[in-house]
């Protein structure tokens, strides 16, 4: 992993990534490998997108109408449980994430 070797040379004091994104997973792994704190920013309310855009008739027949929303909460809980700090865009989002176990 060239990126990890570059980060080892740079010696960051903290890593920041945004969820949901593909770089979030890389940020989590890098923070663990480099033993530096991880800050995750939550910018896109993924469960709402999952509910609005992923609940097609095909999905609801096979997985149930709430599957995509349920899965997005699982992924968010998993990712943010590995962060040292989670930043959110509003007090309302913070309250909802806390209520959902993030």
């Amino acid at each position: 992993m060239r990126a990890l070797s570059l980060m080892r040379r740079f010696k960051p004091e903290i890593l920041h990534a945004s969820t949901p994104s593909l770089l979030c997973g890389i940020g989590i792994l890098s923070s663990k490998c480099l033993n530096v704190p991880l800050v995750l920013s939550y910018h896109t309310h993924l469960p709402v997108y999952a509910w609005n855009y992923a609940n097609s008739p095909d999905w609801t027949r096979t997985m149930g109408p709430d599957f995509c929303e349920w899965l997005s909460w699982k992924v968010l809980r998993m990712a943010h449980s590995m962060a040292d700090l989670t930043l959110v865009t509003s007090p309302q989002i913070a309250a909802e994430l806390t209520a959902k176990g993030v």
Side-chain angles (χ1 to χ4, degrees):
M1 283 180 81
R2 186 168 181 224
L4 191 56
S5 66
L6 288 171
M7 281 194 278
R8 279 197 172 110
R9 280 190 292 176
F10 179 69
K11 298 179 183 170
E13 295 178 11
I14 193 167
L15 286 175
H16 175 248
S18 177
T19 61
S21 75
L22 294 176
L23 291 178
C24 176
I26 294 167
I28 291 169
L29 290 173
S30 298
S31 76
K32 300 304 176 200
C33 290
L34 298 171
N35 197 28
V36 296
L38 175 66
V39 175
L40 290 180
S41 297
Y42 184 71
H43 291 279
T44 304
H45 203 11
L46 186 60
V48 172
Y49 276 81
W51 177 256
N52 287 330
Y53 298 110
N55 276 328
S56 70
D58 293 334
W59 276 95
T60 56
R61 273 196 296 275
T62 57
M63 302 297 220
D66 298 330
F67 176 74
C68 292
E69 183 181 7
W70 171 85
L71 182 61
S72 63
W73 281 117
K74 283 288 216 192
V75 169
L76 288 173
R77 277 191 291 275
M78 182 182 67
H80 286 274
S81 71
M82 296 181 210
D84 295 284
L85 177 67
T86 295
L87 303 174
V88 296
T89 56
S90 71
Q92 295 82 4
I93 293 293
E96 184 174 6
L97 291 177
T98 301
K100 293 288 189 173
V102 175

